[in-house]
Amino acid sequence: RAPTAAPTPLITALVLPSGHTPPTAAGGARPNDAEIPDNLRPLVQALPAIVIPTPSPRQATRLVIPSINVDAPVVQGDDWEQLRRGVGQHVGTADPGRPGNTVFSAHNDIFGEIFRDLDRLKPGDEVVIHTAAESFTYIITGTQIVKPTAVHVMDPTTAPTATLIS
């Protein structure tokens, strides 16, 4: 009898809240694997490289938050190298303006400090996400400070939603 195939659980590797060593550390700023819990470190280190999707006119290209003076390019992916270049859209999240959760992240203390003032956002503030063909305005409904393990904030949604993570 042939073995029954079983689904493989999806593991999302996140290193929060700082995720890196400070720029003043020996060797400068770099990912800080020491913040990954010991029991998860082998899983995270074994993860394959993330494949960046082929560009599409529906992908985000620019993110503007007037109330905190953010106007930054958006790149696909949110690993170390992508976040050096701008705001990263988490691979596999919804395209702007479409049903689902569009997840963006950027540093608040290195590489441009794009999301340095994210905690100053208030309900009613606007976030404008540009694509090659359209712009979508999202309205801030609230902010949360969550533990590094609270990855539920990245869960899919049924309505067009944007989640900003620093």
Side-chain angles (χ1 to χ4, degrees):
R1 199 162 58 146
T4 304
T8 303
L10 177 63
I11 298 173
T12 302
L14 297 173
V15 181
L16 299 171
S18 62
H20 55 78
T21 59
T24 56
R30 63 187 181 288
N32 186 4
D33 290 340
E35 291 189 9
I36 300 170
D38 290 338
N39 65 319
L40 296 178
R41 195 168 295 126
L43 290 171
V44 171
Q45 291 170 340
L47 288 172
I50 294 175
V51 177
I52 303 301
T54 303
S56 125
R58 291 185 169 182
Q59 290 176 342
T61 58
R62 190 168 139 231
L63 187 135
V64 178
I65 311 172
S67 65
I68 58 172
N69 298 314
V70 168
D71 187 339
V74 173
V75 297
Q76 294 301 303
D78 54 5
D79 73 8
W80 190 249
E81 289 306 314
Q82 274 84 20
L83 294 184
R84 284 177 179 249
R85 296 185 284 141
V87 175
Q89 180 175 346
H90 188 72
V91 172
T93 62
D95 286 327
R98 306 294 182 257
N101 192 1
T102 309
V103 179
F104 297 99
S105 56
H107 287 294
N108 64 7
D109 58 352
I110 60 173
F111 303 137
E113 301 178 338
I114 297 169
F115 279 177
R116 179 176 189 77
D117 295 320
L118 203 61
D119 60 340
R120 291 184 27 218
L121 290 174
K122 298 182 297 295
D125 288 346
E126 293 184 350
V127 176
V128 182
I129 302 167
H130 298 271
T131 70
E134 301 175 83
S135 296
F136 300 94
T137 301
Y138 290 78
I139 305 299
I140 297 293
T141 59
T143 60
Q144 297 179 44
I145 297 176
V146 298
K147 291 185 178 189
T149 55
V151 295
H152 69 276
V153 299
M154 298 171 52
D155 286 349
T157 60
T158 55
T161 304
T163 299
L164 309 176
I165 298 173
S166 171

